[in-house]
Amino acid sequence: MGDLDVERLARWMALQAVPGLGRLGLKRLFIQERSLDALFNRLKSRVDLSPETRNRALEALESMRRIGGGVLSWDHELYPRLLLEIPDPPVLLSYVGDLRSLSLPAIAAVG
């Protein structure tokens, strides 16, 4: 799976804007449905996937690509699995750089 395309990003953005759902509710439903398509179909009567949302998605992707980056969503194979385990993970992650480096051995220091 590659970087998000405009349509998938627009769907994620529209899902985040569903009134009364919030990220915790969205996460709970995503775990149940297991895919963006199933989640979107379940909520499509409450989702506003307007041309404005698609334009915002296009602008976000173009902006990130200009600086050598992109956007990951919960269903992307490179979205950090441990991040999904926190109670309120971000639905979308912006990044800059080469994602292939995430699969290389690494060490980190925190604090």
Side-chain angles (χ1 to χ4, degrees):
M1 181 183 298
D3 206 15
L4 279 179
D5 61 36
V6 172
E7 185 62 27
R8 291 183 68 76
L9 179 56
R11 284 179 168 213
W12 278 115
M13 292 170 81
L15 285 166
Q16 289 184 96
V18 170
L21 186 59
R23 276 200 317 229
L24 294 177
L26 187 57
K27 180 183 177 187
R28 181 179 47 77
L29 292 175
F30 178 68
I31 290 169
Q32 291 173 4
E33 297 297 334
R34 299 181 182 251
S35 78
L36 171 62
D37 293 335
L39 178 60
F40 191 82
N41 286 335
R42 181 172 176 172
L43 295 172
K44 69 179 164 187
S45 66
R46 297 173 58 193
V47 174
D48 175 22
L49 190 56
S50 66
E52 180 182 304
T53 302
R54 284 187 171 92
N55 286 338
R56 284 192 353 253
L58 178 61
E59 289 172 11
L61 283 178
E62 287 177 346
S63 175
M64 290 307 299
R65 288 178 179 154
R66 273 194 300 274
I67 60 172
V71 181
L72 300 179
S73 60
W74 284 344
D75 61 339
H76 193 283
E77 63 192 20
L78 293 176
Y79 189 98
R81 294 296 133 211
L82 289 175
L83 191 56
L84 282 175
E85 293 182 20
I86 68 172
D88 193 13
V91 176
L92 301 168
L93 289 177
S94 299
Y95 69 89
V96 175
D98 185 352
L99 290 178
R100 291 176 295 188
S101 63
L102 293 175
S103 64
L104 299 173
I107 188 167
V110 179

